[in-house]
Amino acid sequence: MEVDDLAPRKKVVHGYERAYRMAGRGPAVLFVHGIGDDSSTWLDVLAALSGEFTVIAPDLLGHGESAKPRADYSVAAYACGMRDLLSVLGVDKVSVVGHSLGGGVAMQFAYQFPERCERLVLVGSGGIGPGVHPLLRLAAAPGAGFLLPVVGSAPVRLGLRAFRGLLRQAGDFGLGEDLDYVLGKYVRLVEATTRQAFLRTLRSVVDWRGQVVNLLDRCYLSAGIPVMLVWGTEDHVVPSEHAAVAHSAMPGSKLVIFEGAGHFPYLTDPVRFLAELREFLTATEPASHDSGQWRKLLRTGSASPDLPDRTELDRSAIPSGT
């Protein structure tokens, strides 16, 4: 399938338009993008996998071509939104691939609806510890809404292009090769409805001290669900050290590290990412929810006696000042 064949479609769910891309046949795979992004970030992956899988990539509410109402933009609400969209599309079970904020949504989806989650792939995922890029902490601060339109304005964009060499020497705000992609997406913040949705989403998961939502205390519930973690060594948006923390907290998870990649390893090395993802999806058995085992895990609060103590996992997360 060609990328051009993956144009967005729309469904109305709870009175709001939800844009999504869907194609292919076979086992369903749901792709969830990060904050400020949209489903187009997955286009090449969707096209490559559509011959073997039913691929579904929504624009989260408040993003892309989906509606941008005054609404609940929490991770839990996004997980419910994924459940409801899948129900409208007639899809009962999925493997979930989530990037950044989408990784947090994917984990929340697996937590809230374990009977619908067959596998979990987390790419530079949020929800593991407080560490997050300083620019996101700044954007979450009071009054940032007045400054964000300036970021996407034409004069600022022209200035950034003019001083591109100096920016590279200064480290590109710590974003490296990801800077151009991020700036290209954040141009949309000049639109008031997009900006407000972005701020509500960001402030539901980040404050000036770092990430607020931490799913480490529930990671033991991933026991029995095939999990793959993908991180770039140069990820400074969600620090790469979070990969080891997540790997320790998720029993039996597979850890894949992309040397030299930043926050978007699937864009940095798409060939390898596709190979890793395809192998994971085909070589692992889909999870089958066992309510008795789920109840046992909840009662014991641990999947394995070898799992590190929860407080130690929390301490090992990267502090928000890095």
Side-chain angles (χ1 to χ4, degrees):
M1 173 173 285
E2 299 296 323
V3 166
D4 293 341
D5 298 325
L6 284 160
R9 312 178 197 181
K10 291 185 178 179
K11 292 284 188 184
V12 175
V13 182
H14 306 313
Y16 300 124
E17 279 193 335
R18 314 283 179 129
Y20 67 98
R21 302 172 197 268
M22 184 174 181
R25 63 186 66 182
V29 185
L30 175 70
F31 292 84
V32 189
H33 64 76
I35 191 169
D37 213 335
D38 59 64
S39 59
S40 67
T41 195
W42 301 113
L43 275 173
D44 290 336
V45 177
L46 302 179
L49 292 179
S50 60
E52 307 157 70
F53 302 94
T54 299
V55 292
I56 307 162
D59 287 351
L60 292 173
L61 194 69
H63 294 71
E65 295 188 28
S66 287
K68 300 169 181 64
R70 180 180 173 86
D72 182 0
Y73 289 100
S74 66
V75 170
Y78 277 134
C80 290
M82 296 300 95
R83 187 262 325 259
D84 295 342
L85 177 62
L86 291 172
S87 296
V88 169
L89 296 176
V91 178
D92 293 326
K93 296 185 177 184
V94 290
S95 296
V96 191
V97 182
H99 172 246
S100 198
L101 169 72
V105 174
M107 284 191 283
Q108 187 71 22
F109 180 88
Y111 168 60
Q112 291 180 205
F113 314 111
E115 71 284 357
R116 305 188 74 150
C117 184
E118 296 186 327
R119 299 174 186 83
L120 198 55
V121 180
L122 306 176
V123 186
S125 177
I128 303 301
V132 71
H133 196 281
L135 288 179
L136 287 175
R137 299 205 306 272
L138 181 63
F146 297 105
L147 298 175
L148 286 177
V150 178
V151 175
S153 66
V156 170
R157 296 201 309 272
L158 289 172
L160 288 172
R161 290 194 187 100
F163 294 99
R164 198 68 183 83
L166 290 175
L167 280 174
R168 289 205 179 280
Q169 291 178 26
D172 286 334
F173 302 117
L175 294 173
E177 63 182 27
D178 296 333
L179 179 62
D180 290 334
Y181 183 86
V182 170
L183 288 177
K185 295 295 183 180
Y186 280 44
V187 165
R188 302 169 182 168
L189 297 181
V190 297
E191 303 170 359
T193 54
T194 299
R195 184 168 65 254
Q196 290 304 314
F198 169 83
L199 286 171
R200 290 193 181 104
T201 303
L202 180 64
R203 288 168 178 167
S204 74
V205 292
V206 172
D207 64 17
W208 66 272
R209 292 174 296 179
Q211 293 190 62
V212 175
V213 177
N214 190 335
L215 298 171
L216 280 175
D217 59 347
R218 280 154 282 173
C219 279
Y220 68 92
L221 292 170
S222 67
I225 302 177
V227 178
M228 181 167 72
L229 307 165
V230 181
W231 241 279
T233 58
E234 301 304 313
D235 189 342
H236 299 295
V237 177
V238 180
S240 57
E241 290 86 348
H242 285 206
V245 177
H247 186 44
S248 296
M250 294 183 166
S253 59
K254 176 182 180 181
L255 178 59
V256 179
I257 298 297
F258 280 58
E259 290 291 337
H263 192 50
F264 302 87
Y266 60 93
L267 297 178
T268 302
D269 192 344
V271 174
R272 183 187 172 198
F273 180 81
L274 271 169
E276 296 282 1
L277 180 57
R278 183 179 280 113
E279 179 184 9
F280 177 74
L281 293 173
T282 56
T284 56
E285 291 295 323
S288 179
H289 181 61
D290 182 332
S291 58
Q293 176 65 12
W294 185 264
R295 188 180 303 111
K296 181 179 177 181
L297 288 173
L298 284 169
R299 285 173 173 171
T300 61
S302 174
S304 166
D306 298 325
L307 189 64
D309 181 78
R310 188 66 52 216
T311 56
E312 292 303 315
L313 286 171
D314 289 339
R315 289 194 194 105
S316 63
I318 305 305
S320 58
T322 60

